[in-house]
Amino acid sequence: DSSAVESLDYEVIENYAYREEQEKRGKLFVGYQVSLKWFLALLIGIGTGIAAIFINISVENFAGWKFALTFAIIQKSYFAGLVIYVSFNLALVFSSVYIVTRFAPAAAGSGIPEIKGYLNGIDVHGILLFRTLVGKIFGSIGSVGGGLALGKEGPLVHIGACIASLLGQGGSTKYHISSRWLQGFNSDRDRRDLVTCGCAAGVAAAFRAPVGGVLFALEEVTSWWRSQLMWRVFFTSAVVAVVVRTAMAWCKSGKCGHFGAGGFIIWDISDGQEDYSFAELLPMAVIGVIGGLLGALFNQLTRYITYWRRNYLHKKGARVKMIEICLISVITSAVSFGLPLLRKCSPCPESEVECPNPPGMYGNYVNFYCLNDKEYNDLATIFFNTQDDAIRNLFSAKTIHEYSAQSLLTFLVMFYTLAVVTFGTAVPAGQFVPGIMIGSTYGRLVGMFVVSFYKKPNIEEGTYALLGAASFLGGSMRVTVSLCVIMVEISNNLKFLPLIMLVLLISKAVGDAFNDGLYEEQARLRGIPLLESRPKYQMRRMTAQEGCRTRKVVSLPRVIKVSDLVSILRCNTHNGFPVIDHSRSGETLVIGLMLRSHLLVLLQSKVDFQHSSLPSDSRGGSFPIRHNNSEFIKPVSSKGLSLEDIHLSQDDLDMYIDLAPFLNPSPYIVPEDMSLTKVYNLFRQLGLRHILVVPRPSRVLGLITRKDLLIED
Amino acid sequence: DSSAVESLDYEVIENYAYREEQEKRGKLFVGYQVSLKWFLALLIGIGTGIAAIFINISVENFAGWKFALTFAIIQKSYFAGLVIYVSFNLALVFSSVYIVTRFAPAAAGSGIPEIKGYLNGIDVHGILLFRTLVGKIFGSIGSVGGGLALGKEGPLVHIGACIASLLGQGGSTKYHISSRWLQGFNSDRDRRDLVTCGCAAGVAAAFRAPVGGVLFALEEVTSWWRSQLMWRVFFTSAVVAVVVRTAMAWCKSGKCGHFGAGGFIIWDISDGQEDYSFAELLPMAVIGVIGGLLGALFNQLTRYITYWRRNYLHKKGARVKMIEICLISVITSAVSFGLPLLRKCSPCPESEVECPNPPGMYGNYVNFYCLNDKEYNDLATIFFNTQDDAIRNLFSAKTIHEYSAQSLLTFLVMFYTLAVVTFGTAVPAGQFVPGIMIGSTYGRLVGMFVVSFYKKPNIEEGTYALLGAASFLGGSMRVTVSLCVIMVEISNNLKFLPLIMLVLLISKAVGDAFNDGLYEEQARLRGIPLLESRPKYQMRRMTAQEGCRTRKVVSLPRVIKVSDLVSILRCNTHNGFPVIDHSRSGETLVIGLMLRSHLLVLLQSKVDFQHSSLPSDSRGGSFPIRHNNSEFIKPVSSKGLSLEDIHLSQDDLDMYIDLAPFLNPSPYIVPEDMSLTKVYNLFRQLGLRHILVVPRPSRVLGLITRKDLLIED
Ligand SMILES: Nc1ncnc2c1ncn2[C@@H]1O[C@H](COP(=O)(O)OP(=O)(O)OP(=O)(O)O)[C@@H](O)[C@H]1O
Ligand SMILES: Nc1ncnc2c1ncn2[C@@H]1O[C@H](COP(=O)(O)OP(=O)(O)OP(=O)(O)O)[C@@H](O)[C@H]1O
Ligand SMILES: [Mg+2]
Ligand SMILES: [Mg+2]
């Protein structure tokens, strides 16, 4: 399966065509490109912000209608209510899975492993297409609105990346909505920067956390980072923040239906616990440990299930995928409706005026199947509710003893199981919000014990719920700095930063003892070969020469017969070939590296074929100009040309082709006995695709030091 | 002067001694090292936090005593008050400059350019010594307590870096307070990571902004960044936050004298302006432009003055430096005391109960030389006050029309001049707080016009002051993301993030049109050759071969006569020499690169001298073990050995030495016609010191691709 993925070329191929183009472009062009980059960043921000708001409003409205309808009906019959509730959810989930399986298979899942792979240098087919974008947006609305145990945050990251990539190529080429003047950024290198911006924008939009978005892109997703990029990425996420804020201000007037008038901060707990004592650090550490254990278990279980799904269930075709998720939807709806019914209602606390609330409305204390008017159902408050509201209720302060331990435990077990089962189905699915749900449940459980044990008035259960959420996410995703900042930004409480960090340190350490992070595990299962930032330990003792697995290098002569070239390309799958020139005196010289994709372009265009087997410049002097640089650019996320698409006549096959103008004349080279650690760093830091291992040089032509690189303008 | 700076070696020299050591160390050792790194991060956090608190408490107390004393005396005589005030300040400043010039010359200035240089790969002599740390701490107390127009934030970054470096080498080696077991991190590479942590800790401590600290280190100071480092850096700054918070909680009980009970947020304006309209964006953009202009002017003026100082004034010795700063201190004191005297007092607004306050106390509305009891002096409120309080007053909301335009303008002009003149004197000096003062003054001025022009009730002058502060810092330092986050964290108001960003975008763009950022300009003046993140434009057209300035490479044979080696070392200043082996058949082979510093170690220890001119392993087989790796490590911030320190007898000079075991066998090599842009990226991204330019290879031994680097454990 890993043959489906290809590496990306982040290197600048300084071939003849490229140099030609560079010559033509002046400093003015650089200025134009810079402003275009900023303009694109602006567009990415606006696009992602609008997409996020659109998804949010749709989800909230579907959920609102659903709960309003169900609540109206259960006044008459609980059974009819159940049926309506289940079928409403089923319809939404079905439309989601239908869109995804039929039109945009790459839109399933969270997309973060794929984006992470993309920015690590691996191209997974189809992840950045226009149809994926559309599938992801509408699929998310269906799956989240349908009440499944998944979130819309991961998909938003993918959506941001898609928007960025599509804008970068000036719209979708397939659907002919592309404009010429935007097409300055077609190299993998430029696209990488745009996707980074999109990724940050996605997180910023999902959590309304601009700083967290930048840090998430920086820490978790990208593998290379240039400080010039930082400011642009930050700008993008600030634009998202402005767009979202503006839209929400507009919604305040009531134009957005059930979306209503939430604040910019999703789960504001700035009025929560004021202070904490040292004695509380112990239960917090316990939360960290639980988070690490449950998170690692989550990764492990989802890994098994995903493995099983890929190899057995999903092989059977799209229909099985649909049936599977529909079944899960029915079970989820039935459980979230049925379990609260089994639960006895509790009387409302006296101090609370807004008790009880109908489900699906903003606020705690949901009245559901209660005999008395002044009663509420604590399980329904979290289970029979939208996830956003449930989390708000779990985080809420000043609501001590709202939940019984029994309800929380029931919810924890059920929701954890549902989240594990739902993960990896064929709908867009994020793991952030389910993770927060799970974590805040056991966090609140611990908080209840702390409240009753320490008996201090200032301890809030909501604080522990927040820490629990952080711990589960840390234990499962192993994200650190950015998660801290995101948690601070979503809760608007800077005071808890050290606590969140403590909890994350512990849960990450505990989780790391068992397995890799969720995204790494999933990337591995999908055959995305991520290069970690740290080289493996045993590489220290290996040399570059030992590192190359294939001993026999397939190389090309400078002027090659077309038929030879075709047969070489046919009998292996390598993507890069060293080109070797034989001088008259019989000496050989490596003159560069030729990429398979460039060779295919040359074979297809045929204009460079020549009859003589002599180098093309041996007569004239310089090379004739027959290509411009853009012809060599691989279209985004498509497989590019393949040898089978190219038809060559016998005449063509007898001709020759001179590769010198097209090859990369200066690939990176390392001496044979450099340690593999160093090679690894070189490869990863510079985002390379090929490194040539060469014998030790026979002489040194010069030394470059810092002084040589300090050229004044 | 640039000969005083040397490059650092971030490369791992994989020589014989290193490999030997690696062999001995198992996986357990790696674990030990990781925990040690975290432990060091903890210590750095605690150390920097304590240093920051110590400086803060001292400064606040000195300032408090000063103002209390002066205020007591001016009840009798204003002239006596002036004398006391001036001499108190003079005493503090004198002690500061005395400490610095006598004991720690490297402690003068802000230190950020030097630290930036260090992390860019340049070692400036003496910046990370124990004496520099001490000088910086006590010098800052004197200079800031003495009321000069400078701040303690820049010095705190330097202090954090010093603490980190000293902890990394296990204490100061010179003063024999070093412990053996901490000395695992003596390579430049490990020290770089520690200094990065220290740097972030410094910013976090200075502004009580943990996230801002991480981002500042990431964006502004370091040149390389590894994502593993991020979590540790963040941990360090969170530790700082905890330490500072704990200390401040302890101070609440009144044990810290005048330091009193400020909140964790330095200039909290979370109760400021609620909302902003689109019409306000225009005056905000104006602030951005002003900030860019004034910031660029600041950089330009300080550059001229620094240049002049270095070349004329400071050449005359330490005494001139002392006299200079004492003079500036007297002028500053006289101006800040005298100007408010010339100003007419204004009546207190009715609504305000806490009006008037004595100067140096927390709060607005300072009574100074007012006839009436219910009057305050608006110029004294900002001028005759500690800088922290002045900024708090300028940022304050709900105090419309507190200041007259005339006072603000007077203050702006005077303080700007003082800040320019004070910059570059021989005391520890940060530019953050003066920058905030200047910026918030003109920001508030613009705010006053906006308030009277737009006539909307919700507009606060304090908001504009904050934006002004951001704009000036942006226009002068050109820091972006981290400055945004720092401004948000010091003011505790996430709402203004997009506004701050807008202002910064503009002011940075305007400033960039004139000159480079403050730190870059200063680094250039000090002869610190920073490598920017972006290669120069003309490098695209140059090859590596053209890049080397010296055509004739000085290289060494594998076995060299000691006298030859000494004469080669003597007749040039190069720091790296390719080593070339001649095989019997007359072929030559570059077997590695030898560093001057390693050669000097070998010459000094003499144990490797041999009588025969044959390679040392030609008889036995393997090399004898005579050195361990730590002998080759250069002590922190010292010049290391020099050739003059080594005494060789005639017998020694006639011996031979085999360099093979000690050289770096795998230096980075590039083919001669690689473009200089690519070489630049390689050099900077990997933090190299030498790159060898070699002829094109004659064959390829292997290709390394992603697949080859995916080794499973
Ligand atoms: N021209 C070549 N001659 C000989 N061996 C090669 C050549 N190119 C690559 N290899 C080797 O073949 C193996 C797989 O090569 P391949 O070109 O498919 O690279 P890859 O790791 O799959 O990356 P990509 O995504 O670029 O295909 C690697 O071990 C590599 O060392
Ligand atoms: N062994 C050598 N033979 C010939 N030229 C050299 C050699 N080493 C360095 N050079 C050249 O000499 C110039 C200055 O060399 P130098 O070794 O002082 O480096 P530098 O840039 O000052 O860095 P460092 O801080 O390491 O000294 C550079 O232009 C470099 O190309
Ligand atoms: Mg392949
Ligand atoms: Mg030098």
Side-chain angles (χ1 to χ4, degrees):
Chain A
D1 201 67
S2 82
S3 66
V5 302
E6 287 273 283
S7 299
L8 293 163
D9 278 304
Y10 287 155
E11 213 191 337
V12 178
I13 310 272
E14 295 173 326
N15 63 15
Y16 171 68
Y18 173 82
R19 292 187 186 208
E20 199 65 37
E21 205 164 282
Q22 285 294 321
E23 286 296 321
K24 278 188 281 176
R25 291 172 172 182
K27 284 215 161 186
L28 206 70
F29 184 77
V30 175
Y32 164 72
Q33 260 193 328
V34 169
S35 11
L36 196 54
K37 278 180 190 172
W38 281 92
F39 182 64
L40 280 177
L42 178 75
L43 289 185
I44 293 169
I46 293 176
T48 312
I50 291 176
I53 279 288
F54 174 68
I55 294 177
N56 261 329
I57 291 181
S58 314
V59 166
E60 290 288 319
N61 274 311
F62 278 123
W65 292 331
K66 178 175 74 187
F67 283 114
L69 191 65
T70 312
F71 204 66
I73 290 175
I74 55 174
Q75 307 300 340
K76 310 233 169 66
S77 148
Y78 270 85
F79 183 73
L82 174 64
V83 171
I84 288 291
Y85 182 71
V86 169
S87 28
F88 204 117
N89 278 339
L90 190 60
L92 281 172
V93 170
F94 181 76
S95 64
S96 165
V97 73
Y98 189 82
I99 295 170
V100 169
T101 47
R102 292 289 160 193
F103 303 108
S110 92
I112 293 183
E114 284 88 355
I115 302 298
K116 198 171 165 168
Y118 186 88
L119 292 175
N120 193 278
I122 307 139
D123 199 2
V124 183
H125 183 63
I127 54 156
L128 294 176
L129 300 181
F130 184 66
R131 52 161 67 203
T132 309
L133 173 65
V134 174
K136 205 102 197 181
I137 291 179
F138 289 98
S140 296
I141 294 174
S143 62
V144 179
L148 291 176
L150 42 76
K152 57 191 179 298
E153 281 68 22
L156 264 174
V157 175
H158 192 169
I159 289 171
C162 283
I163 292 178
S165 163
L166 290 170
L167 282 173
Q169 61 174 331
S172 164
T173 35
K174 185 153 177 212
Y175 298 101
H176 302 290
I177 18 176
S178 69
S179 55
R180 204 87 198 65
W181 61 279
L182 267 178
Q183 291 180 354
F185 304 102
N186 275 331
S187 77
D188 284 343
R189 208 187 175 77
D190 293 325
R191 217 176 277 146
R192 176 182 74 183
D193 292 354
L194 290 175
V195 170
T196 309
C197 286
C199 194
V203 179
F207 297 106
R208 301 176 209 154
V211 182
V214 176
L215 288 177
F216 187 83
L218 170 58
E219 183 196 359
E220 186 56 25
V221 189
T222 68
S223 309
W224 305 283
W225 188 262
R226 297 174 306 125
S227 57
Q228 303 110 283
L229 195 59
M230 182 123 173
W231 188 214
R232 208 155 70 234
V233 171
F234 196 53
F235 172 71
T236 316
S237 39
V239 170
V240 171
V242 172
V243 170
V244 172
R245 205 181 266 280
T246 313
M248 291 182 71
W250 182 76
C251 279
K252 277 226 172 90
S253 55
K255 294 198 191 86
C256 307
H258 288 273
F259 181 66
F264 185 73
I265 309 295
I266 309 186
W267 299 298
D268 198 328
I269 55 163
S270 55
D271 56 349
Q273 189 166 336
E274 270 303 310
D275 218 341
Y276 44 86
S277 57
F278 270 99
E280 284 182 69
L281 294 185
L282 184 68
M284 288 169 184
V286 171
I287 289 185
V289 174
I290 301 177
L293 293 176
L294 286 186
L297 182 69
F298 186 83
N299 293 2
Q300 204 66 27
L301 291 177
T302 50
R303 199 178 106 190
Y304 291 141
I305 295 190
T306 311
Y307 186 80
W308 174 76
R309 274 216 180 91
R310 288 182 78 76
N311 291 324
Y312 302 99
L313 202 63
H314 286 187
K315 283 224 168 117
K316 301 198 180 122
R319 189 157 305 178
V320 177
K321 288 187 193 177
M322 290 195 202
I323 296 175
E324 177 196 26
I325 187 67
C326 288
L327 219 81
I328 291 175
S329 164
V330 171
I331 295 174
T332 308
S333 311
V335 165
S336 65
F337 189 97
L339 274 188
L341 290 185
L342 303 179
R343 176 90 199 121
K344 242 186 47 220
C345 288
S346 345
C348 281
E350 252 108 78
S351 56
E352 207 58 54
V353 271
E354 287 194 347
C355 175
N357 282 310
M361 297 278 115
Y362 180 91
N364 285 294
Y365 306 109
V366 169
N367 179 321
F368 183 70
Y369 200 56
C370 296
L371 302 173
N372 215 313
D373 234 20
K374 272 278 158 203
E375 276 183 349
Y376 73 99
N377 186 325
D378 63 345
L379 193 51
T381 309
I382 40 180
F383 222 155
F384 192 60
N385 210 337
T386 64
Q387 293 179 353
D388 274 12
D389 285 336
I391 294 174
R392 193 169 294 118
N393 296 342
L394 285 169
F395 280 1
S396 65
K398 318 266 177 322
T399 50
I400 281 175
H401 306 311
E402 175 175 353
Y403 303 99
S404 64
Q406 203 190 338
S407 295
L408 289 181
L409 219 54
T410 317
F411 178 73
L412 178 60
V413 172
M414 286 314 304
F415 196 82
Y416 193 92
T417 318
L418 287 174
V420 168
V421 173
T422 316
F423 185 97
T425 50
V427 287
Q431 273 66 55
F432 267 105
V433 166
I436 293 178
M437 294 279 274
I438 293 170
S440 53
T441 312
Y442 66 75
R444 188 131 187 151
L445 258 175
V446 174
M448 284 173 59
F449 286 111
V450 174
V451 165
S452 58
F453 189 78
Y454 285 113
K455 297 210 170 50
K456 286 201 192 133
N458 69 336
I459 297 179
E460 290 287 352
E461 291 170 2
T463 312
Y464 287 83
L466 177 76
L467 294 179
S471 77
F472 187 78
L473 294 179
S476 151
M477 297 174 185
R478 317 283 157 82
V479 190
T480 51
V481 180
S482 49
L483 188 57
C484 262
V485 175
I486 289 175
M487 293 310 280
V488 167
E489 283 190 277
I490 58 176
S491 65
N492 197 17
N493 199 331
L494 208 66
K495 261 178 303 209
F496 295 155
L497 184 66
L499 299 182
I500 294 175
M501 179 167 268
L502 172 82
V503 162
L504 279 180
L505 267 174
I506 296 173
S507 69
K508 181 174 151 68
V510 170
D512 276 342
F514 293 101
N515 47 27
D516 274 347
L518 185 67
Y519 299 133
E520 281 82 36
E521 296 272 9
Q522 292 297 320
R524 198 174 305 141
L525 275 179
R526 277 157 220 219
I528 302 171
L530 292 180
L531 286 183
E532 289 163 27
S533 66
R534 200 189 288 270
K536 287 271 188 299
Y537 186 75
Q538 62 264 47
M539 288 188 179
R540 298 193 187 187
R541 294 179 197 174
M542 292 172 73
T543 65
Q545 175 69 78
E546 289 160 14
C548 322
R549 295 209 191 133
T550 334
R551 288 293 142 128
K552 179 89 193 64
V553 176
V554 183
S555 54
L556 308 174
R558 172 172 170 181
V559 183
I560 187 170
K561 203 171 172 192
V562 174
S563 56
D564 293 345
L565 183 58
V566 170
S567 67
I568 288 176
L569 289 182
R570 193 161 283 151
C571 69
N572 66 52
T573 62
H574 299 321
N575 287 304
F577 304 92
V579 178
I580 291 173
D581 200 10
H582 294 266
S583 71
R584 298 212 176 152
S585 58
E587 262 179 61
T588 63
L589 212 59
V590 181
I591 59 169
L593 186 82
M594 195 72 205
L595 288 183
R596 172 181 284 262
S597 60
H598 289 196
L599 286 173
L600 292 176
V601 171
L602 294 181
L603 285 181
Q604 198 190 35
S605 81
K606 294 181 188 155
V607 291
D608 300 289
F609 292 176
Q610 60 185 37
H611 288 286
S612 106
S613 66
L614 292 174
S616 58
D617 61 343
S618 62
R619 289 145 291 164
S622 73
F623 298 113
I625 310 169
R626 294 205 196 92
H627 295 272
N628 69 34
N629 200 25
S630 63
E631 286 176 49
F632 291 106
I633 284 164
K634 211 181 75 177
V636 63
S637 262
S638 93
K639 295 226 165 161
L641 279 172
S642 102
L643 201 54
E644 280 72 53
D645 307 336
I646 297 170
H647 301 287
L648 295 165
S649 66
Q650 191 53 49
D651 279 359
D652 290 335
L653 288 175
D654 285 339
M655 304 251 271
Y656 291 86
I657 184 164
D658 180 6
L659 303 177
F662 311 108
L663 48 78
N664 174 4
S666 48
Y668 286 93
I669 57 178
V670 295
E672 51 188 316
D673 53 358
M674 184 179 271
S675 80
L676 210 54
T677 322
K678 269 172 131 175
V679 177
Y680 188 96
N681 284 334
L682 176 66
F683 194 90
R684 191 174 186 280
Q685 299 265 353
L686 299 182
L688 302 183
R689 190 178 186 186
H690 296 101
I691 290 181
L692 305 190
V693 181
V694 298
R696 290 173 174 287
S698 62
R699 19 189 213 121
V700 180
L701 300 173
L703 248 91
I704 289 192
T705 65
R706 182 174 287 264
K707 258 189 206 124
D708 300 314
L709 297 175
L710 292 167
I711 300 174
E712 285 299 308
D713 276 299
Chain B
D1 201 65
S2 81
S3 64
V5 301
E6 287 271 286
S7 298
L8 292 163
D9 279 304
Y10 287 155
E11 214 192 332
V12 177
I13 310 271
E14 294 173 326
N15 61 17
Y16 171 67
Y18 174 82
R19 293 191 183 203
E20 197 64 36
E21 205 164 283
Q22 286 294 321
E23 286 297 322
K24 277 188 282 176
R25 291 173 173 182
K27 283 217 163 185
L28 205 71
F29 185 77
V30 175
Y32 164 72
Q33 261 193 328
V34 169
S35 13
L36 195 54
K37 278 179 188 172
W38 281 92
F39 182 64
L40 279 177
L42 177 75
L43 288 186
I44 294 169
I46 294 177
T48 313
I50 290 177
I53 280 288
F54 174 68
I55 294 178
N56 263 328
I57 293 181
S58 314
V59 165
E60 290 287 319
N61 274 312
F62 278 122
W65 292 331
K66 178 174 75 185
F67 283 114
L69 190 65
T70 313
F71 204 66
I73 291 177
I74 57 173
Q75 307 299 342
K76 311 231 169 71
S77 149
Y78 272 84
F79 183 72
L82 173 65
V83 171
I84 287 292
Y85 181 70
V86 169
S87 23
F88 204 117
N89 278 340
L90 189 61
L92 282 172
V93 169
F94 181 76
S95 63
S96 163
V97 72
Y98 189 82
I99 294 169
V100 170
T101 47
R102 292 290 161 193
F103 302 108
S110 92
I112 292 183
E114 283 87 355
I115 302 297
K116 199 171 163 165
Y118 187 88
L119 293 174
N120 192 277
I122 307 139
D123 198 4
V124 183
H125 183 62
I127 54 156
L128 294 176
L129 300 181
F130 184 66
R131 52 162 67 205
T132 308
L133 173 64
V134 174
K136 205 102 195 180
I137 292 180
F138 289 97
S140 296
I141 295 175
S143 63
V144 179
L148 291 176
L150 43 77
K152 57 190 178 302
E153 282 68 21
L156 264 173
V157 175
H158 192 168
I159 289 170
C162 283
I163 291 178
S165 162
L166 290 171
L167 282 174
Q169 60 173 331
S172 164
T173 34
K174 186 155 175 210
Y175 297 101
H176 302 291
I177 18 178
S178 69
S179 55
R180 207 86 199 61
W181 61 278
L182 268 177
Q183 292 180 354
F185 305 102
N186 274 329
S187 78
D188 284 343
R189 209 186 174 79
D190 294 325
R191 216 176 276 145
R192 176 182 76 184
D193 293 354
L194 290 176
V195 169
T196 309
C197 287
C199 195
V203 179
F207 296 106
R208 300 174 210 157
V211 183
V214 176
L215 288 176
F216 187 84
L218 169 60
E219 182 196 0
E220 185 57 24
V221 187
T222 68
S223 310
W224 305 284
W225 189 263
R226 297 175 303 127
S227 56
Q228 304 111 284
L229 197 58
M230 184 125 170
W231 189 214
R232 209 156 68 233
V233 172
F234 197 54
F235 172 71
T236 316
S237 34
V239 170
V240 171
V242 172
V243 169
V244 171
R245 207 181 263 280
T246 313
M248 290 180 72
W250 183 75
C251 279
K252 277 225 174 90
S253 54
K255 293 198 192 87
C256 308
H258 288 272
F259 182 66
F264 185 73
I265 311 293
I266 309 188
W267 300 297
D268 198 328
I269 56 165
S270 56
D271 56 348
Q273 190 166 337
E274 270 302 310
D275 217 342
Y276 45 86
S277 57
F278 271 99
E280 284 182 69
L281 293 185
L282 183 68
M284 287 170 184
V286 171
I287 288 184
V289 174
I290 301 178
L293 293 176
L294 286 185
L297 183 69
F298 186 83
N299 294 2
Q300 204 67 26
L301 291 178
T302 50
R303 197 176 109 190
Y304 291 141
I305 294 190
T306 311
Y307 186 79
W308 175 77
R309 273 215 182 92
R310 289 183 77 76
N311 292 321
Y312 302 100
L313 202 63
H314 286 185
K315 283 223 167 116
K316 299 198 182 122
R319 188 156 307 178
V320 177
K321 289 187 192 175
M322 291 196 199
I323 296 175
E324 177 196 25
I325 187 66
C326 289
L327 219 81
I328 292 175
S329 163
V330 171
I331 295 172
T332 309
S333 313
V335 165
S336 65
F337 190 98
L339 274 188
L341 290 186
L342 303 177
R343 176 90 199 120
K344 244 184 47 222
C345 287
S346 343
C348 281
E350 251 108 80
S351 55
E352 208 56 56
V353 271
E354 286 194 349
C355 175
N357 282 310
M361 296 279 113
Y362 180 92
N364 286 293
Y365 306 110
V366 169
N367 178 321
F368 183 71
Y369 201 55
C370 297
L371 301 173
N372 216 312
D373 236 19
K374 272 278 158 204
E375 276 184 350
Y376 72 99
N377 187 326
D378 65 343
L379 193 52
T381 307
I382 41 181
F383 221 156
F384 191 60
N385 210 336
T386 64
Q387 293 180 353
D388 275 10
D389 285 337
I391 294 173
R392 192 169 295 120
N393 295 342
L394 284 168
F395 281 1
S396 65
K398 319 267 179 320
T399 49
I400 282 175
H401 306 311
E402 175 177 353
Y403 304 98
S404 63
Q406 202 189 340
S407 293
L408 288 181
L409 217 55
T410 318
F411 178 74
L412 178 61
V413 172
M414 287 313 306
F415 196 82
Y416 193 91
T417 318
L418 287 174
V420 167
V421 172
T422 317
F423 184 96
T425 50
V427 287
Q431 272 67 55
F432 267 105
V433 166
I436 293 179
M437 293 280 274
I438 293 169
S440 53
T441 311
Y442 67 75
R444 188 130 190 154
L445 258 173
V446 174
M448 285 173 59
F449 286 112
V450 174
V451 164
S452 58
F453 189 79
Y454 285 115
K455 296 212 172 50
K456 286 202 192 132
N458 69 337
I459 297 178
E460 291 287 351
E461 292 169 1
T463 312
Y464 287 82
L466 177 75
L467 294 178
S471 77
F472 187 79
L473 294 180
S476 150
M477 296 173 185
R478 318 283 157 79
V479 189
T480 51
V481 180
S482 49
L483 189 56
C484 263
V485 176
I486 289 175
M487 293 312 279
V488 168
E489 284 191 274
I490 57 176
S491 65
N492 198 16
N493 199 330
L494 210 66
K495 262 179 300 212
F496 294 154
L497 185 66
L499 299 182
I500 294 175
M501 180 167 266
L502 171 82
V503 162
L504 278 181
L505 268 175
I506 297 173
S507 70
K508 182 174 151 71
V510 171
D512 277 341
F514 294 100
N515 47 30
D516 275 346
L518 186 67
Y519 299 134
E520 281 83 34
E521 295 272 9
Q522 293 297 321
R524 198 175 304 140
L525 276 178
R526 278 160 219 218
I528 301 171
L530 291 180
L531 286 184
E532 288 163 30
S533 66
R534 202 188 286 273
K536 287 271 186 300
Y537 186 74
Q538 61 264 47
M539 287 187 180
R540 299 194 185 187
R541 295 181 194 171
M542 291 170 74
T543 64
Q545 174 70 80
E546 288 160 16
C548 322
R549 296 210 190 129
T550 334
R551 288 292 141 128
K552 181 86 193 64
V553 176
V554 182
S555 54
L556 307 174
R558 172 171 170 181
V559 182
I560 188 170
K561 202 171 171 195
V562 174
S563 57
D564 293 346
L565 181 58
V566 170
S567 69
I568 288 176
L569 289 181
R570 195 162 280 151
C571 70
N572 66 52
T573 63
H574 299 322
N575 289 304
F577 303 92
V579 178
I580 290 172
D581 201 9
H582 295 266
S583 71
R584 290 201 187 164
S585 59
E587 260 180 62
T588 62
L589 211 60
V590 180
I591 57 168
L593 185 81
M594 194 73 206
L595 289 184
R596 174 183 284 263
S597 59
H598 288 195
L599 285 173
L600 292 176
V601 170
L602 294 181
L603 284 181
Q604 199 190 32
S605 79
K606 294 180 188 157
V607 290
D608 300 289
F609 292 176
Q610 59 184 40
H611 287 287
S612 107
S613 65
L614 291 174
S616 56
D617 59 344
S618 61
R619 288 145 292 162
S622 74
F623 298 114
I625 308 168
R626 294 204 197 93
H627 294 272
N628 71 33
N629 201 23
S630 62
E631 287 175 48
F632 291 106
I633 284 164
K634 211 181 76 177
V636 62
S637 262
S638 93
K639 296 225 165 159
L641 278 172
S642 107
L643 199 55
E644 281 73 51
D645 306 335
I646 297 170
H647 301 286
L648 295 164
S649 66
Q650 191 54 47
D651 281 357
D652 291 335
L653 289 175
D654 286 338
M655 306 254 269
Y656 289 87
I657 184 163
D658 180 5
L659 302 177
F662 312 109
L663 47 77
N664 175 3
S666 49
Y668 286 94
I669 58 179
V670 295
E672 50 190 319
D673 52 357
M674 184 179 273
S675 79
L676 211 53
T677 323
K678 269 174 133 172
V679 177
Y680 189 95
N681 285 334
L682 175 66
F683 194 89
R684 192 173 184 282
Q685 299 264 357
L686 299 183
L688 302 184
R689 189 177 187 185
H690 295 101
I691 290 181
L692 305 191
V693 181
V694 298
R696 289 174 174 290
S698 62
R699 18 187 214 125
V700 180
L701 300 175
L703 249 90
I704 290 192
T705 66
R706 181 175 288 265
K707 257 187 208 130
D708 300 314
L709 297 176
L710 291 168
I711 299 174
E712 285 299 309
D713 277 301

